[in-house]
Amino acid sequence: MNNIYLVGFMGSGKSAIGRVLARMTYRRFMDTDALIVEQEGMPIPQIFEEKGEAYFRRVETEVLKKLTKEKKRIISCGGGVAMRTENVEEMRRGGHIVLLSAKPETILKRVARDENRPLLKGRKTIEGITELMEARLPHYQAAADITVATDDRSMEDIAAEICRAFIPSVR
Ligand code: S3P
């Protein structure tokens, strides 16, 4: 299907970079979190609170499966998507998987004022982020076709690197 899936930790820039990449490649941009919010009719913290994380993960996989039927999309995936084997298999069927990486210091700066990520509640410290990141990184890396570092770089520069990596398959 030639989709490009952006995966990585919360605050790694998946949505912002995805939008730039979509513009650059004349493709449509989609965001699993945004689709979940639309489908469920409530914000993510409320889904976690009222229905629980397991429910959120089920809906996330459902949404990903729907998206994988599409062609040539730029898809920003919530930070937990690449943690499930089922999701990784789905993304592999649908196209390329790009891991966006960032240092815990960079992530902390980006998420400092954010209240929309339940898993960062009480974790907005270098130690808290490092701990969760270390648990996730091996899964992210195993899933990814390529890893692109995002620290101290412009979104255009990062998007151009992803674009180059998949030319001629992207266009
Ligand atoms: C999550 C990341 C969030 C969102 C939810 C859970 C995670 O998406 O899906 O809060 O498990 O890492 P972003 O990575 O877009 O913040």
Side-chain angles (χ1 to χ4, degrees):
M1 299 300 188
N2 213 356
N3 292 312
I4 291 184
Y5 298 89
L6 301 177
V7 303
F9 203 79
M10 294 166 271
S12 57
K14 295 165 297 208
S15 300
I17 294 162
R19 283 201 182 87
V20 175
L21 182 60
R23 239 182 286 131
M24 215 175 249
T25 53
Y26 302 100
R27 289 177 166 214
R28 278 190 68 188
F29 171 76
M30 322 250 35
D31 186 320
T32 59
D33 284 340
L35 291 174
I36 294 169
V37 168
E38 192 184 300
Q39 184 177 310
E40 295 299 302
M42 62 174 95
I44 289 175
Q46 199 181 343
I47 303 175
F48 268 69
E49 212 173 288
E50 289 180 14
K51 305 199 166 175
E53 182 173 352
Y55 176 84
F56 177 83
R57 298 300 174 196
R58 280 201 297 279
V59 177
E60 189 170 58
T61 298
E62 241 175 62
V63 161
L64 188 71
K65 285 187 173 164
K66 273 187 219 156
L67 282 177
T68 294
K69 296 198 182 82
E70 306 289 345
K71 288 192 181 96
K72 294 194 171 185
R73 300 289 159 99
I74 306 296
I75 301 170
S76 169
C77 298
V81 167
M83 298 299 292
R84 263 194 171 186
T85 312
E86 188 184 358
N87 294 344
V88 175
E89 285 167 358
E90 197 61 29
M91 292 190 283
R92 290 224 170 96
R93 274 195 284 279
H96 307 288
I97 307 175
V98 177
L99 168 59
L100 297 180
S101 73
K103 294 181 196 140
E105 291 78 2
T106 308
I107 299 286
L108 185 58
K109 264 188 238 154
R110 291 179 186 162
V111 302
R113 276 184 296 275
D114 182 277
E115 296 302 330
N116 212 28
R117 292 172 166 116
L119 296 184
L120 287 181
K121 227 176 165 183
R123 225 182 239 284
K124 283 191 205 145
T125 57
I126 295 290
E127 297 72 35
I129 289 170
T130 304
E131 190 187 23
L132 187 56
M133 193 184 277
E134 279 176 0
R136 285 179 163 209
L137 214 50
H139 299 270
Y140 289 162
Q141 285 166 339
D145 295 309
I146 61 162
T147 301
V148 180
T150 65
D151 306 276
D152 307 317
R153 292 176 72 186
S154 73
M155 289 194 274
E156 285 70 22
D157 187 31
I158 298 161
E161 182 179 338
I162 300 169
C163 203
R164 278 195 303 275
F166 295 112
I167 286 175
S169 57
V170 166
R171 264 183 195 162

